[in-house]
Amino acid sequence: MADTKHAPHGGYSPYMDARAHEATYNGFIQFAEISTAVVICFMLALAVGGIKHAWLTSIFGVVLSLAAGGLGAMAPSIGVRAPAAVGVLLLLALVFY
């Protein structure tokens, strides 16, 4: 982010709402992290279906990763950890199935 410590007015114009700007930026970063984790889970689920021919497990993994992504988006304290846990389960299914 920009260096706001040495700029006049704390780096923001007096007409800008700095708190809202920072909250929007943090929300965007959290959204990007969660959506990246969900897409990685989708790729792992497709790998489970394509390599191991376990398509029901793959479909379950996609649905579970969508639910985990929604949970992570609604509960910022959980965040990216929910889809990451699903990703670990899908990786274990890919290795040991």
Side-chain angles (χ1 to χ4, degrees), residues 29-45 61-62 64-70 72-73 78-91:
I29 294 298
Q30 183 180 13
F31 171 76
E33 289 173 348
I34 291 171
S35 60
T36 301
V38 169
V39 168
I40 290 171
C41 287
F42 287 170
M43 299 303 289
L44 287 171
V62 167
L64 191 61
S65 64
L66 279 173
I78 296 173
V80 75
R81 289 183 291 210
V86 175
V88 168
L89 291 175
L90 287 169
L91 189 61

Side-chain angles (χ1 to χ4, degrees), residues 15-76:
Y15 304 108
M16 293 178 66
D17 188 4
R19 286 190 197 118
H21 174 76
E22 296 287 335
T24 302
Y25 178 76
N26 291 333
F28 172 76
I29 294 298
Q30 183 180 13
F31 171 76
E33 289 173 348
I34 291 171
S35 60
T36 301
V38 169
V39 168
I40 290 171
C41 287
F42 287 170
M43 299 303 289
L44 287 171
L46 287 172
V48 168
I51 295 172
K52 302 294 184 175
H53 302 289
W55 289 106
L56 288 177
T57 304
S58 176
I59 292 169
F60 181 71
V62 167
V63 171
L64 191 61
S65 64
L66 279 173
L71 176 69
M74 299 306 273

